[in-house]
Amino acid sequence: MIAFIFHYIANNPFVFLFLAISLGYPLGKISIKGINLGATAGTLLVSVLIALSAFSFYGLTIDAPGLVSDIFLMMFMYAIGMKVGPQFFSGLARGGMDFVVIGLIVVFSNFIIVFWGAKLFNLAPGYAAGIISGSYTVTAVMGVAQSAITSGAFKAPNGITLDQVSANIAAGYAISYILSSIFIILLIKYLPTLFGKDPIQAGAQAEKDFGSGQDNEALPSTAGFSNLGVLPLDVRAYRVEHEELVNQTPESLYQLYPQATVLRVVRQNKVLKAVDNPKLQLGDIIGVRGQYHQLIAESESHIGTEVDEPRARNIDIEVADLHLGHSPYIGRPIAQLSQDIGFGLYLKALFRQGHQLPILPQTQIEMGDVIRVAGSDWCVQQAASKLNCTPIVESTLTETFYLALSLLIGYICGHLSVNISGIPFALGTSAGCMLTGIIFSFLRTRNPAFGGPMSEGARSFLQDIGLSLFVAVLATSVGPKILDSFQGIVVIKIAILGLIGALIPPLLAWLYGFYIRKMNPAILAGACAGARNSTPAMKGAQEICQSDIPAIGYPVPYALTSMLVLILGYLSMVMY
């Protein structure tokens, strides 16, 4: 039966691909003390084990179509470009320069350590790129390294085949990925303590300086994002009994009392909506929306007697995501945003690059951010108009058009090659698609008429399925040969180099931020995690600080290094 299963898989490569993903995803989610492989590494491990077992026990090779690998890798790179595009440019252009420097320190020191360390250890071609990919926990580096092989930019020396080079990439990645995934979490998590700082106190101080965080919310355009949930708000009805309210409008009252918003006015038998901004009169009954304790404690003394008037209280509330493009509010703090456009709205969450940020009054909003609000439809539309955006509802046609156009342009640009000192350099089709994704994302967020920011649900799907199918196809060629990459003490060399490349760069960045820039340790820990592209490390920092504040430092270095590490991974192949 086992022999039949392996023969069937070998004769039907698509069964192999779907089997690898269906087993790899749950394997990658298994967590031991908060540490897991992740879906992509789990898929790679399962794929290698199946391919290696088929070859070792039955002499079978699985011939998965290379076209599948190429297409899905390009789709993955496009999705990465769409994710980091807006924050990549805005992070370079304004503010966060310390975050930019931290990212540069980490990505270039990692390249120097791994590339020259591989030379020093006399490792065969392919190992350096694999160790960069694993030590940085960025599987996509394997993709650009593989594209250097397929494009001809990398020439294998005598005595080694291209398949063996690919196996070396996978071997270097597998060992260094596992080790760095574990130890980077521990390093980032305990850096404040190692340098004599109380992480809880650092998180509390940062929250005091900036504000407070929010509960976790579903990512934009994913299941449950529009759930209203439980809000700390209520709508209560009061009769206007104080002369100082006469001739005031809902808008003018909002400027005076932003914590309590007048959403409806009942005058005799007429119901007046606040959108018309009517002037109040004595005897009007108004529906006021605000925090429970403020309405209970203060409203009767400021407005009048509370009454039971359903027409003033029964106001429909909806949840909407506002995808920010080009807007005059870009670069301004949340506090100003709330004051200017927050009429009748409750700010539920703020997202950047698919990560939820704590809502802090001093946090600057950036192009590509997603703001989740709860309020009446007309309040949402009014805020969207002021922000020069609309609650985006993506269409399949729009996403398919941009995806196809980006892949077309990226493939053509990446396929072009130039010779420098006799060495052919090509951007690579996968890197070309990532760059077009960055450009398209930047243009779309600046001009919502182009479709607006990409749906996070669609983008996440392209990213996950694209990379998983790429590594599954890669495993069919490297699986039978990966054991040859573990001869002698090469495993020890990979482990040492991978750990040094994973841990020393963020430590150098920490020293810069801690001693030179005097940054808050909680925010600095998040920045070091972002520069290392490690979301689990950032979550570890949040856990030890007992605060969401480390997320503030994460996005800018993450966006910067996400692109640079791919370029350096490619160079590690053509320069080796």
Side-chain angles (χ1 to χ4, degrees):
M1 177 60 69
I2 295 178
F4 169 78
I5 291 174
F6 276 108
H7 277 85
Y8 183 79
I9 291 174
N11 292 326
N12 297 273
F14 283 100
V15 173
F16 163 77
L17 295 178
F18 298 137
L19 176 64
I21 293 176
S22 62
L23 295 178
Y25 263 65
L27 175 64
K29 290 182 178 297
I30 296 176
S31 179
I32 300 177
K33 294 186 177 181
I35 300 171
N36 56 50
L37 284 175
T40 303
T43 299
L44 178 64
L45 178 60
V46 170
S47 303
V48 168
L49 289 177
I50 295 175
L52 182 60
S53 300
F55 181 78
S56 301
F57 296 120
Y58 302 102
L60 299 172
T61 57
I62 302 172
D63 186 20
L67 182 63
V68 173
S69 173
D70 294 340
I71 291 176
F72 280 96
L73 177 61
M74 289 188 289
M75 291 171 63
F76 163 77
M77 298 297 280
Y78 168 75
I80 288 292
M82 292 296 290
K83 178 177 183 178
V84 306
Q87 275 73 44
F88 177 77
F89 289 108
S90 62
L92 293 176
R94 178 186 57 255
M97 187 51 63
D98 286 334
F99 297 145
V100 172
V101 173
I102 285 172
L104 294 176
I105 290 173
V106 174
V107 74
F108 281 106
S109 59
N110 172 269
F111 173 78
I112 292 171
I113 290 170
V114 175
F115 182 82
W116 292 107
K119 291 277 191 180
L120 180 64
F121 284 164
N122 198 29
L123 293 176
Y127 283 115
I131 296 172
I132 289 175
S133 182
S135 66
Y136 226 99
T137 57
V138 178
T139 312
V141 174
M142 286 206 304
V144 296
Q146 190 67 28
S147 69
I149 296 175
T150 56
S151 67
F154 168 81
K155 302 294 184 183
N158 295 331
I160 186 171
T161 65
L162 293 179
D163 283 345
Q164 186 58 55
V165 174
S166 297
N168 293 344
I169 295 173
Y173 166 82
I175 297 173
S176 55
Y177 181 92
I178 294 173
L179 292 174
S180 63
S181 294
I182 297 172
F183 285 97
I184 190 59
I185 296 174
L186 298 176
L187 176 68
I188 298 297
K189 190 172 183 178
Y190 295 109
L191 268 175
T193 304
L194 290 175
F195 283 79
K197 293 294 183 179
D198 184 345
I200 298 177
Q201 183 179 354
Q205 182 61 45
E207 289 189 358
K208 181 180 178 181
D209 293 340
F210 291 95
S212 60
Q214 296 292 112
D215 295 332
N216 290 332
E217 288 273 332
L219 291 178
S221 302
T222 60
F225 88 95
S226 61
N227 291 343
L228 187 60
V230 178
L231 301 179
L233 302 171
D234 194 10
V235 178
R236 305 172 81 97
Y238 300 89
R239 180 177 289 108
V240 176
E241 298 174 342
H242 294 272
E243 288 284 349
E244 60 266 26
L245 296 182
V246 174
N247 291 326
Q248 294 277 9
T249 65
E251 185 63 40
S252 64
L253 287 173
Y254 176 73
Q255 299 302 320
L256 294 173
Y257 309 103
Q259 71 276 11
T261 308
V262 177
L263 293 180
R264 188 166 291 177
V265 179
V266 178
R267 182 172 297 160
Q268 296 177 351
N269 291 323
K270 293 182 179 179
V271 177
L272 309 177
K273 295 183 178 180
V275 66
D276 298 322
N277 209 29
K279 292 183 178 181
L280 300 186
Q281 300 177 7
L282 286 176
D284 286 349
I285 297 175
I286 57 176
V288 182
R289 183 167 182 252
Q291 299 277 353
Y292 296 126
H293 66 279
Q294 291 174 334
L295 294 178
I296 293 174
E298 303 176 11
S299 293
E300 288 199 13
S301 61
H302 286 82
I303 304 173
T305 306
E306 183 173 4
V307 297
D308 181 16
E309 175 52 80
R311 291 178 296 175
R313 291 187 294 103
N314 295 342
I315 298 173
D316 292 334
I317 303 296
E318 66 179 18
V319 174
D321 282 349
L322 303 178
H323 298 249
L324 300 185
H326 186 56
S327 166
Y329 287 95
I330 298 301
R332 298 187 183 183
I334 285 288
Q336 181 180 350
L337 181 73
S338 299
Q339 180 179 352
D340 291 353
I341 63 101
F343 184 91
L345 296 178
Y346 174 70
L347 181 56
K348 292 196 70 182
L350 172 66
F351 299 91
R352 184 170 297 163
Q353 294 176 353
H355 298 284
Q356 184 177 352
L357 299 183
I359 298 175
L360 312 171
Q362 300 306 314
T363 300
Q364 292 183 342
I365 63 170
E366 300 289 354
M367 196 175 299
D369 285 356
V370 178
I371 297 176
R372 179 165 300 158
V373 296
S376 298
D377 176 68
W378 67 268
C379 293
V380 173
Q381 295 299 330
Q382 178 175 266
S385 176
K386 292 180 179 180
L387 287 170
N388 191 32
C389 71
T390 56
I392 299 297
V393 179
E394 297 290 352
S395 69
T396 304
L397 177 61
T398 300
E399 290 304 338
T400 303
F401 167 74
Y402 281 113
L403 172 64
L405 184 60
S406 180
L407 297 186
L408 172 64
I409 298 173
Y411 181 90
I412 294 174
C413 294
H415 199 261
L416 299 177
S417 177
V418 295
N419 285 310
I420 302 177
S421 300
I423 302 176
F425 282 89
L427 181 62
T429 55
S430 57
C433 292
M434 184 192 70
L435 290 180
T436 53
I438 289 175
I439 295 171
F440 275 38
S441 176
F442 180 73
L443 294 176
R444 287 178 61 174
T445 51
R446 288 185 66 86
N447 189 346
F450 290 161
M454 187 178 189
S455 161
E456 178 60 23
R459 195 208 60 77
S460 297
F461 171 76
L462 284 180
Q463 178 177 326
D464 291 347
I465 195 67
L467 189 56
S468 295
L469 280 171
F470 163 74
V471 299
V473 174
L474 178 65
T476 61
S477 60
V478 306
K481 302 177 180 62
I482 199 167
L483 291 180
D484 295 335
S485 300
F486 293 146
Q487 294 179 353
I489 61 171
V490 69
V491 174
I492 299 176
K493 293 180 178 180
I494 293 173
I496 294 173
L497 196 54
L499 278 176
I500 294 174
L503 302 181
I504 295 300
L507 180 59
L508 295 176
W510 174 272
L511 295 176
Y512 163 80
F514 189 78
Y515 287 114
I516 298 178
R517 301 302 300 162
K518 310 297 183 182
M519 296 175 65
N520 180 283
I523 297 177
L524 177 57
C528 292
R532 264 286 284 103
N533 271 233
S534 178
T535 302
M538 186 265 287
K539 293 188 180 300
Q542 291 178 322
E543 177 184 316
I544 199 71
C545 294
Q546 297 183 13
S547 169
D548 290 335
I549 205 74
I552 291 296
Y554 187 86
V556 171
Y558 175 90
L560 178 65
T561 58
S562 292
M563 186 182 76
L564 291 180
V565 72
L566 298 178
I567 297 173
L568 295 175
Y570 183 85
L571 291 177
S572 71
M573 288 297 298
V574 299
M575 293 172 55
Y576 198 80

